Amino acid sequence: MILFNLLETQLTRVHRYYLSSFQEMIKKAAIYCHPLANHLMDPEVQKESREDDDDRTVVAEIMRRCFVPAFVTTVPWEAFHFAGHEIRINEATDCYGAVVWPSALVLCYFLETNVKQYNMADKNVIEIGAGTGLVSIVASLLGAHVTATDLPEVLGNLQYNISRNTRMKAKHLPQVRELSWGVALDKNFPRASTNFDYILAADVVYAHPFLEELLITFDHLCKETTVILWVMKFRLEKENKFVDRFEQLFDLEEISSFPSLNIKLYKAMKKNLKNACYPQRRTWKAKAISGRLLL
């Protein structure tokens, strides 16, 4: 009798153990069968999650290159660490072109971390819409022959920043020149003597009325072998339309994307258009100059 009771007790324990294990298996199965669990386990979702983590990591690294002064000054300025140098940039809050925008930091970081594939050393480089000059300074410190361009009202601060940060540091002395998009391009930058290896542009597309002139300027400065490195922050539908127009003239490749900043980095080269297409390009340019087209 005692033996029987012991056996019954043992069987009860075994039964409870397996029942508990079975219930736990059912619970786990229910969890894994839940639509949210299936979504999270989807390889594409996991890939997106990894990409989001990578994005946040790279953006954090980029932002660490910037620091602001610990004391108040009469002239607003920021400092940046790129190309092995501390770069001090004077800014102004009353002008778009006198502020360092995140797109410029992204392009500087890209130039610094991709020197093997995009070697700036001894290359002829022009930056359009140079603003404070940070991108031009970094390209110059990396060894490029740099021409930094912008509107007349920005050139004073641009020249100061570039001179301050490249004097006795850069291999080639950078130039600062006026460039109003679409204006007197043949006179100021004649095709016969204009030969740039790279065109750099950061945040030149936004809510301004000169997008057609910008496209004309890209087309004028770009030879068949010129590489455009262009960083763009997407804000409005107008930017998407500009990209569509841009792709009519250039082969466009997205190199990097930073979703947390809503920024994309592009590489572009002029399309290999046949002679039959050239009249179409001339017609397009004539229309854009005679009457600004709406994007």
Side-chain angles (χ1 to χ4, degrees), residues 110-236:
F110 177 81
L111 294 177
E112 181 192 64
T113 55
N114 291 271
V115 291
K116 289 185 178 180
Q117 188 172 359
Y118 299 94
N119 187 3
M120 295 286 114
D122 300 321
K123 298 296 192 300
N124 290 321
V125 175
I126 185 170
E127 184 187 5
I128 60 175
T132 62
L134 179 60
V135 173
S136 288
I137 291 167
V138 172
S140 181
L141 293 174
L142 291 172
H145 295 273
V146 175
T147 302
T149 68
D150 213 312
L151 297 171
E153 58 267 29
V154 180
L155 295 186
N157 188 56
L158 175 60
Q159 180 68 70
Y160 174 81
N161 285 331
I162 286 182
S163 297
R164 186 185 190 282
N165 291 285
T166 61
R167 189 185 299 116
M168 306 299 292
K169 299 176 184 177
K171 182 178 180 181
H172 307 289
L173 186 66
Q175 297 183 45
V176 175
R177 295 182 60 182
E178 175 186 343
L179 174 55
S180 299
W181 298 336
V183 177
L185 294 176
D186 290 320
K187 176 184 177 182
N188 297 327
F189 295 89
R191 287 184 180 275
S193 58
T194 298
N195 186 18
F196 294 110
D197 299 297
Y198 289 96
I199 298 174
L200 305 179
D203 221 357
V204 293
V205 178
Y206 51 93
H208 62 71
F210 304 105
L211 294 178
E212 285 291 343
E213 288 83 351
L214 173 59
L215 200 54
I216 291 171
T217 303
F218 271 126
D219 182 60
H220 180 85
L221 297 175
C222 193
K223 297 287 182 67
E224 283 70 20
T225 57
T226 304
V227 175
I228 299 173
L229 294 175
W230 166 35
V231 181
M232 177 171 167
K233 181 176 178 66
F234 285 81
R235 301 178 180 89
L236 304 169

Side-chain angles (χ1 to χ4, degrees), residues 21-292:
S21 300
F22 183 66
Q23 288 173 337
E24 187 67 24
M25 290 172 60
I26 293 176
K27 187 185 296 184
K28 289 182 178 179
I31 292 174
Y32 288 123
C33 290
H34 192 279
L36 178 59
N38 288 336
H39 174 73
L40 294 175
M41 294 173 66
D42 187 293
E44 289 298 321
V45 174
Q46 292 178 348
K47 179 182 177 182
E48 291 177 5
S49 178
R50 287 194 298 270
E51 289 175 351
D52 289 342
D53 290 341
D54 292 343
D55 169 50
R56 285 190 290 267
T57 301
V58 174
V59 169
E61 171 61 25
I62 293 172
M63 294 309 169
R64 277 196 291 269
R65 303 300 185 92
C66 167
F67 66 90
V68 295
F71 51 90
V72 178
T73 60
T74 56
V75 178
W77 63 274
E78 287 185 276
F80 305 87
H81 291 286
F82 288 108
H85 294 272
E86 180 181 307
I87 302 168
R88 179 167 168 169
I89 297 293
N90 278 12
E91 297 182 309
T93 57
D94 58 347
C95 177
Y96 280 117
V99 177
V100 176
W101 299 99
S103 295
L105 300 181
V106 168
L107 186 50
C108 289
Y109 182 80
F110 177 81
L111 294 177
E112 181 192 64
T113 55
N114 291 271
V115 291
K116 289 185 178 180
Q117 188 172 359
Y118 299 94
N119 187 3
M120 295 286 114
D122 300 321
K123 298 296 192 300
N124 290 321
V125 175
I126 185 170
E127 184 187 5
I128 60 175
T132 62
L134 179 60
V135 173
S136 288
I137 291 167
V138 172
S140 181
L141 293 174
L142 291 172
H145 295 273
V146 175
T147 302
T149 68
D150 213 312
L151 297 171
E153 58 267 29
V154 180
L155 295 186
N157 188 56
L158 175 60
Q159 180 68 70
Y160 174 81
N161 285 331
I162 286 182
S163 297
R164 186 185 190 282
N165 291 285
T166 61
R167 189 185 299 116
M168 306 299 292
K169 299 176 184 177
K171 182 178 180 181
H172 307 289
L173 186 66
Q175 297 183 45
V176 175
R177 295 182 60 182
E178 175 186 343
L179 174 55
S180 299
W181 298 336
V183 177
L185 294 176
D186 290 320
K187 176 184 177 182
N188 297 327
F189 295 89
R191 287 184 180 275
S193 58
T194 298
N195 186 18
F196 294 110
D197 299 297
Y198 289 96
I199 298 174
L200 305 179
D203 221 357
V204 293
V205 178
Y206 51 93
H208 62 71
F210 304 105
L211 294 178
E212 285 291 343
E213 288 83 351
L214 173 59
L215 200 54
I216 291 171
T217 303
F218 271 126
D219 182 60
H220 180 85
L221 297 175
C222 193
K223 297 287 182 67
E224 283 70 20
T225 57
T226 304
V227 175
I228 299 173
L229 294 175
W230 166 35
V231 181
M232 177 171 167
K233 181 176 178 66
F234 285 81
R235 301 178 180 89
L236 304 169
E237 180 62 25
K238 215 168 188 180
E239 281 91 347
N240 296 323
K241 292 183 178 179
F242 180 85
V243 173
D244 293 338
R245 295 294 303 278
F246 188 88
E247 288 186 291
Q248 294 176 11
L249 298 177
F250 299 92
D251 291 318
L252 190 63
E253 175 189 353
E254 181 182 315
I255 298 178
S256 297
S257 178
F258 304 88
S260 61
L261 298 175
N262 209 23
I263 285 175
K264 291 186 178 182
L265 169 62
Y266 293 108
K267 170 188 173 183
M269 297 186 72
K270 183 172 285 189
K271 285 183 180 293
N272 186 19
L273 300 177
K274 296 180 181 180
N275 292 335
C277 296
Y278 289 162
Q280 182 180 358
R281 173 178 265 146
R282 287 197 295 270
T283 301
W284 162 76
K285 290 178 68 174
K287 286 181 179 179
I289 294 172
S290 61
R292 191 173 298 137

